[in-house]
Amino acid sequence: MVAKISIGASLYGALSYNGEKINKTEGRILGSNKIVVPVDGSADIGRMADNFRLFMPKMGKTKKPVLHISLNPHPDDKLSDQDFESLAREYIDRLGFGEQPYVIYKHEDIDRHHIHIVTVNVNEEGKRLNQDFLYRRSKKITTELEEKYHLHKAQREKLSPDTPICKVDPDGDIKRQVANSVKMVGMRWKFQSIGEYNAILGLYNIKCEQTDGRVNGREYHGLVYFATDDNGNVIVTPLKASRLGKFASRTAIDSRFERAKDKIDIAPTRRSVADALARSSDKDGFIAKLKESNIDVVFRYTDEGRIYGVTFVDHGTQTSLNGSRLGKEFSANALQTRFSQAQPQQPIQQQPNRQPTSVPTVVPPPSSPSNTTSGTANTTNTAQPRSAKNLANDYDPIIPGLDLFQPGQSVNPDEEDFRRRLQRKKKGMRRRF
C-alpha cells in the first residue's frame, strides 16, 4: 500500500477536490471524526469547512495546516468499504492524528479504488502537531498494515529511460499518467521553449501553459498541465505543476531549457528535414517524408488557415526544434510560402461588359534574394527579417489578414504625381514663413 502525503495551506481546496468527486458519484464518504457528514451521502463542502474551523484557531503561525493523504492498495487487493475505513482509521491514528478532525473519502473514478483523508496538523490552540520524520513513519505504518491484513506489497512505480510513454487514457488515473509522461519527457527529450516542449507533450495528449499573476501582492510564475483528447480538447480539470511534482514546475522546465542549449546538435535534424522538403511537392508529402525519417512535424495555424508556427520532433535524436532554429528556409513563413505556391491557382474570371479585375503583384525587396513570388495574380507574400527574439519563439511578426498591404514596387502614376505636388506646395509655404 502506497501512501502519498501533501501538506498545504488551502483547506477548502482539499475538501472541494474530494467533495466534487463525491457529488459526481465518483466515490463516497466512508467516515469522519468530529466533522458532520450529511446523511444522504453528499458532500456539503462549505459546512465541512466550517466544522474544521471550529477546531482551528482563527489566528495561527502555521502557514500550511492541511494534510491531504491518499492510501493506495495494490490493484489485486479487493477491499470492502469497511476494510478501507478500518485501514484509514488505523493509519491516521498510528501517524499521530487520530484525535484530529478528519474525513475519509473513497474514490471510484478509476478501476484502482483508493481512499483520501483530509485532516489538519494544528490543534485548537494553534500549536502544530509533531511532523518529524512524517514520511518515514508513514512508510513504516503502511508496511506493517500490509503484513497485518495480508495485503500485497505495493511499491511506487519506478520510471526509467526505457519506460514507454503512452497517450493519456481517459479511463485511467489521469493525474498519474500526466505526471509520469511529463517526468519521462523531461528525462529523455531536449527542448528550449514552451512551444517545443508542448510539441512533444502533444504527442501524448498533454499540453502545458504558463501562468503569471499576482496573489496577495506577490508575483507568481507557474505552469498548468492539461489532459486532452486526440482533437486537443481538454477532458479533465487542469493540473497545477505542484500537484505533479517538482520535476513539472516552471523552475525545473526553465532549467531544462538552459541545459539543452549545450546539448542540442541541430545538424542531423536539419539534414533530414532538408531532404524531406527537397523530395516533397506539397505539405502532405512533406509530412509523409518526415515520418519516414522518424520525425513528427507540428504546424500551428491562424483562424484563416495560415501557418504561423512549426516545430519538428525528432525521435531519433530526441530533440524538439522550432523551424527557425534549423534555418530561415524551414521557418513557418517560408513553409507557408512554399506550400501555398504548390496549391493550384484559380484563374481570374471576367464579368460581361466589365474590365478585367486587376490584382496587384507584390514584389519582394531586393535585399531578400531568397524570397520568391508565385508569378500569378494570387501571390503569397514573403516575411520581413525577424529579430532574434522572434526567431527564438518561432513567431511570425506579419499579422494574418494584413499581408496584402506589405510594401512593394507597384506604383500608381497619378497618386505619385499628386504626392510630389503636395510636397512642393509644403516646401513653398515653409519658404514664405
Side-chain angles (χ1 to χ4, degrees), residues 256-398:
R256 294 190 185 281
F257 293 163
E258 292 299 319
R259 292 200 298 271
K261 291 180 180 179
D262 299 327
K263 296 180 180 180
I264 290 179
D265 178 11
I266 69 170
T269 305
R270 191 181 190 282
R271 284 195 297 268
S272 298
V273 173
D275 179 66
L277 190 59
R279 295 186 294 118
S280 305
S281 58
D282 56 22
K283 184 170 63 177
D284 291 339
F286 182 49
I287 294 172
K289 293 293 189 297
L290 288 172
K291 281 282 188 183
E292 294 174 3
S293 300
N294 204 19
I295 296 175
D296 281 304
V297 58
V298 179
F299 290 105
R300 294 178 289 282
Y301 300 90
T302 65
D303 293 338
E304 292 79 15
R306 176 187 174 86
I307 300 172
Y308 76 87
V310 58
T311 304
F312 299 96
V313 182
D314 190 337
H315 295 270
T317 61
Q318 293 189 321
T319 305
S320 179
L321 292 162
N322 281 339
S324 55
R325 294 193 194 278
L326 300 182
K328 187 176 180 180
E329 63 271 34
F330 308 111
S331 67
N333 192 65
L335 294 178
Q336 166 67 27
T337 302
R338 181 186 178 102
F339 295 141
S340 62
Q341 290 174 350
Q343 296 175 356
Q345 304 295 326
Q346 297 295 329
I348 299 173
Q349 297 182 356
Q350 298 184 16
Q351 299 295 331
N353 302 322
R354 294 185 182 179
Q355 295 297 324
T357 304
S358 62
V359 180
T361 301
V362 180
V363 182
S367 60
S368 302
S370 62
N371 293 339
T372 60
T373 59
S374 64
T376 65
N378 185 12
T379 306
T380 302
N381 190 31
T382 55
Q384 300 298 317
R386 297 185 290 173
S387 66
K389 180 179 180 181
N390 286 334
L391 285 173
N393 293 282
D394 198 27
Y395 172 72
D396 187 353
I398 294 180

Side-chain angles (χ1 to χ4, degrees), residues 107-370:
H107 287 194
E108 300 173 339
D109 53 332
I110 59 175
D111 292 337
R112 180 181 53 78
H113 293 180
H114 55 286
I115 51 180
H116 283 242
I117 307 169
V118 176
T119 186
V120 289
N121 62 357
V122 292
N123 59 23
E124 297 179 21
E125 299 175 355
K127 184 178 180 180
R128 184 173 68 85
L129 303 185
N130 179 27
Q131 290 184 187
D132 295 343
F133 308 107
L134 186 64
Y135 298 96
R136 188 183 301 178
R137 288 191 283 127
S138 173
K139 177 59 179 174
K140 183 174 184 294
I141 294 167
T142 55
T143 300
E144 292 173 351
L145 289 176
E146 287 172 346
E147 295 176 355
K148 179 178 179 179
Y149 292 98
H150 308 290
L151 303 176
H152 290 82
K153 293 186 179 297
Q155 301 292 332
R156 287 182 182 270
E157 184 177 2
K158 294 183 178 180
L159 303 177
S160 70
D162 298 326
T163 304
I165 309 177
C166 302
K167 284 187 176 182
V168 171
D169 179 6
D171 297 325
D173 186 341
I174 292 180
K175 176 187 171 185
R176 180 180 60 82
Q177 292 178 76
V178 172
N180 288 348
S181 295
V182 168
K183 188 170 187 176
M184 287 187 286
V185 165
M187 290 168 60
R188 299 178 186 178
W189 289 84
K190 298 181 286 293
F191 42 86
Q192 300 177 74
S193 70
I194 285 292
E196 293 172 348
Y197 184 38
N198 267 321
I200 308 167
L201 294 178
L203 301 178
Y204 310 109
N205 288 359
I206 302 170
K207 69 177 182 177
C208 171
E209 290 185 3
Q210 295 177 327
T211 57
D212 301 290
R214 220 173 242 282
V215 174
N216 297 327
R218 298 179 60 184
E219 288 189 6
Y220 70 88
H221 306 280
L223 295 178
V224 177
Y225 292 84
F226 303 81
T228 70
D229 58 19
D230 290 336
N231 296 320
N233 301 313
V234 176
I235 58 176
V236 293
T237 304
L239 298 164
K240 292 198 301 183
S242 58
R243 291 191 58 203
L244 302 181
K246 291 183 179 180
F247 57 85
S249 68
R250 188 157 179 176
T251 301
I253 300 304
D254 285 347
S255 67
R256 294 190 185 281
F257 293 163
E258 292 299 319
R259 292 200 298 271
K261 291 180 180 179
D262 299 327
K263 296 180 180 180
I264 290 179
D265 178 11
I266 69 170
T269 305
R270 191 181 190 282
R271 284 195 297 268
S272 298
V273 173
D275 179 66
L277 190 59
R279 295 186 294 118
S280 305
S281 58
D282 56 22
K283 184 170 63 177
D284 291 339
F286 182 49
I287 294 172
K289 293 293 189 297
L290 288 172
K291 281 282 188 183
E292 294 174 3
S293 300
N294 204 19
I295 296 175
D296 281 304
V297 58
V298 179
F299 290 105
R300 294 178 289 282
Y301 300 90
T302 65
D303 293 338
E304 292 79 15
R306 176 187 174 86
I307 300 172
Y308 76 87
V310 58
T311 304
F312 299 96
V313 182
D314 190 337
H315 295 270
T317 61
Q318 293 189 321
T319 305
S320 179
L321 292 162
N322 281 339
S324 55
R325 294 193 194 278
L326 300 182
K328 187 176 180 180
E329 63 271 34
F330 308 111
S331 67
N333 192 65
L335 294 178
Q336 166 67 27
T337 302
R338 181 186 178 102
F339 295 141
S340 62
Q341 290 174 350
Q343 296 175 356
Q345 304 295 326
Q346 297 295 329
I348 299 173
Q349 297 182 356
Q350 298 184 16
Q351 299 295 331
N353 302 322
R354 294 185 182 179
Q355 295 297 324
T357 304
S358 62
V359 180
T361 301
V362 180
V363 182
S367 60
S368 302
S370 62

Side-chain angles (χ1 to χ4, degrees), residues 400-411:
L402 297 184
D403 47 348
L404 290 178
F405 301 97
Q406 297 298 316
Q409 295 180 357
S410 297
V411 176

